[in-house]
Each structure stands twice: as structure tokens, then as C-alpha cells.
Amino acid sequence: MERMQTIQFEGKAGRIDCAMDWPETHQPIRGWVLLLHPHPLHGGARNNKVITTMSRAATAQGLVVVRPDFRGVGASEGTFDHGHGETLDMYELVVQFQAQFPDIARHPFLLGGFSFGTSVAAQLYTLLKQTGLAIPLHLVLAGCAVKRFLFVDALEVPAHTYLVHGADDEVVPVDEAMEFAQTHDLAVTVIPAAGHFFHGKLILLRELVAAQWQLGLMRAES
């Protein structure tokens, strides 16, 4: 069965407390995923249902998942920093993960986020691409809110970035996701009758995201 442990890394504001989800023991590890949660000031945390759904979709594919709590959430230190400090913290997490888990880090690295976490994920991708530290091979963004918390110049996302959004999103209107997609020449999967938190649509979301994790692995292994 799947396993979960807690692990800590050191961010710019102190401790980053994380959950680490492992595939079932009989599965070979094929890579790892960093999953980033929604807005910390509105109840966002690593145990958010969208994030845990995305995690289950990943562990089923043989991926190890790291689900951090952003600064000021749970046992993570620091205070909310509008996406700036959070992105720098995640960069430090990637550096430390590579050093502590080299056997996992030699496999493909995938990245995902939900809502506020999509902005941190996209900006983290940009920083990683600029430094060449560890470039995620696939980016999955649910409830895309990237533009709301931008601080990096010349944002970059992979050409195959996957966007999934609820048609009835009451927090981030679907038109906002469409505008972001158009700017970066991306496609968007829109789930009819789905709100921001995908209530009643989590099984479908899991299937869609699982297909994307698998696609990312296939692209890396080809």
C-alpha cells in the first residue's frame, strides 16, 4: 500500500514542513513530483483535496510526491509572501531534495500546482530553467492563477504544460485561464459544471492528471 512520511527542508524563512508520498512497495520508482497547494491565507495547505487527488494520481504511476506546506502553514516557518518568498523556498527545496535523495532525483522531475500553487510552480519552473539546476519535464496546473502573483520577469513554461480548469470556477474565472493559455500558446481542458475546488469532479480530475503524469514519464523515457 501507499506510504506517507513527513520531512523537513530549510527555506529562506526557516523550516519547510512536507508530506512525502511513496508509491506502493512493489512499484519501481520512476520519478518524483513537487505539488504546490492553494492560497495559504484562504485555508490552502498540503492536505487540500485537489492536491491529494493529484498526488494519488502520481503515486499510482510510480512517482514519489513531495507536498510542502508553504511558509506560515502548519509547521512551516515564516509568513505569507505573495508568491515571492514561496517560490524561493521551493527552489531551496529542490536543491536539498536532490542532495538528500540522489537515487530518486536521477529520475524525471515533474511539477504541479493548484490555484495559488500554479503561480509558484510556473515561477519556480522559470527560475530552474534559468539556473539549469533541475528542469521539470512536465508542468500540470489546475485552477490556473499564475498571473495573480507574478514577480519573475520573462515567465517561461514548457510548451506541453497542461492546464485543467472548471467551467464554473468562482475564484479564477475560466477566461483568466484562457488568457494565460493564449499568451503561452497552450491548450486548456475545461471540465463542465466544475467549480474552483472541483467538487464532484475529483475522480475525473484524477484520471486527467494521471494521464498527464504518464505522458510526462513517457516523454522523459523516450
Side-chain angles (χ1 to χ4, degrees):
M1 57 186 298
E2 295 176 359
R3 298 167 290 151
M4 191 275 280
Q5 69 180 94
T6 57
I7 186 170
Q8 289 76 41
F9 298 97
E10 192 70 18
K12 295 293 188 181
R15 180 178 58 246
I16 308 169
D17 194 56
C18 307
M20 194 167 173
D21 301 324
W22 295 80
E24 294 186 3
T25 52
H26 70 273
Q27 286 184 287
I29 292 175
R30 301 172 67 195
W32 72 286
V33 180
L34 178 59
L35 279 181
L36 306 179
H37 69 69
H39 204 300
L41 300 187
H42 300 286
R46 69 192 188 203
N47 62 353
N48 170 269
K49 287 185 178 180
V50 173
I51 291 297
T52 56
T53 295
M54 294 172 73
S55 178
R56 287 193 296 272
T59 56
Q61 303 296 326
L63 293 161
V64 175
V65 178
V66 178
R67 293 183 285 118
D69 272 335
F70 287 132
R71 51 176 65 183
V73 178
S76 292
E77 296 177 328
T79 57
F80 179 66
D81 195 33
H82 306 277
H84 187 180
E86 289 83 358
T87 301
L88 299 180
D89 289 343
M90 294 305 103
Y91 185 91
E92 295 300 319
L93 185 156
V94 173
V95 172
Q96 293 165 46
F97 183 91
Q98 287 189 303
Q100 292 182 38
F101 298 95
D103 289 344
I104 299 174
R106 66 184 175 84
H107 294 291
F109 169 29
L110 309 171
L111 178 60
F114 168 48
S115 195
F116 172 81
T118 66
S119 189
V120 177
Q123 293 179 95
L124 175 62
Y125 177 86
T126 301
L127 292 182
L128 292 170
K129 181 81 178 293
Q130 290 171 352
T131 62
L133 171 67
I135 303 173
L137 296 178
H138 202 45
L139 183 57
V140 175
L141 306 178
C144 183
V146 174
K147 295 177 63 178
R148 297 190 176 196
F149 305 96
L150 281 179
F151 74 92
V152 302
D153 297 323
L155 182 76
E156 292 186 65
V157 294
H160 46 267
T161 295
Y162 180 70
L163 303 182
V164 57
H165 213 88
D168 298 336
D169 193 317
E170 69 285 6
V171 176
V172 183
V174 69
D175 288 349
E176 187 174 326
M178 290 293 186
E179 182 180 349
F180 177 80
Q182 184 173 6
T183 299
H184 296 278
D185 196 24
L186 304 171
V188 185
T189 296
V190 178
I191 300 179
H196 187 63
F197 295 96
F198 299 93
H199 293 312
K201 304 292 182 179
L202 289 174
I203 293 175
L204 175 57
L205 178 69
R206 179 177 175 176
E207 292 174 351
L208 292 169
V209 171
Q212 290 300 313
W213 297 142
Q214 180 65 22
L215 185 62
L217 287 170
M218 291 174 60
R219 186 177 289 114
E221 294 167 356
S222 64

